[in-house]
Amino acid sequence: MMNNDLILKNNLKEIRQLKKLSQEELARLVCTTRQTIISIEKNSFNPSAKLALLLCIALDTQFEDLFYF
């Protein structure tokens, strides 16, 4: 049984805004849609490991700074 306390959360919106990127610009950088970026920012969708890595690279940030429990 999964522990509800172990929900992956993120700082995507805050870091994206610090980097002065729009949702559309970030989506283009990581080859996804703006809707996917919105869903991740709202914590309603957890990205695949590949997409999470691409987000970290595009935002020049470490995984631990972008995602947390």
Side-chain angles (χ1 to χ4, degrees):
M1 191 154 96
M2 292 195 64
N3 184 341
N4 288 333
D5 294 335
L6 290 178
I7 296 172
L8 187 65
K9 299 177 186 95
N10 68 76
N11 294 311
L12 182 58
K13 183 175 183 177
E14 295 81 2
I15 294 173
R16 175 182 59 75
Q17 290 175 336
L18 280 174
K19 303 289 182 171
K20 301 190 185 321
L21 289 170
S22 69
Q23 292 169 332
E24 186 67 39
E25 290 168 327
L26 180 56
R28 265 190 254 119
L29 285 173
V30 298
C31 300
T32 193
T33 65
R34 180 174 168 262
Q35 289 77 17
T36 298
I37 300 299
I38 291 167
S39 295
I40 296 169
E41 287 183 353
K42 289 182 174 182
N43 288 309
S44 60
F45 173 75
N46 283 331
S48 65
K50 179 181 177 182
L51 180 53
L53 176 61
L54 290 172
L55 288 167
C56 290
I57 292 168
L59 295 169
D60 191 29
T61 191
Q62 294 191 6
F63 182 88
E64 303 83 19
D65 295 330
L66 191 55
F67 297 98
Y68 62 95
F69 288 102

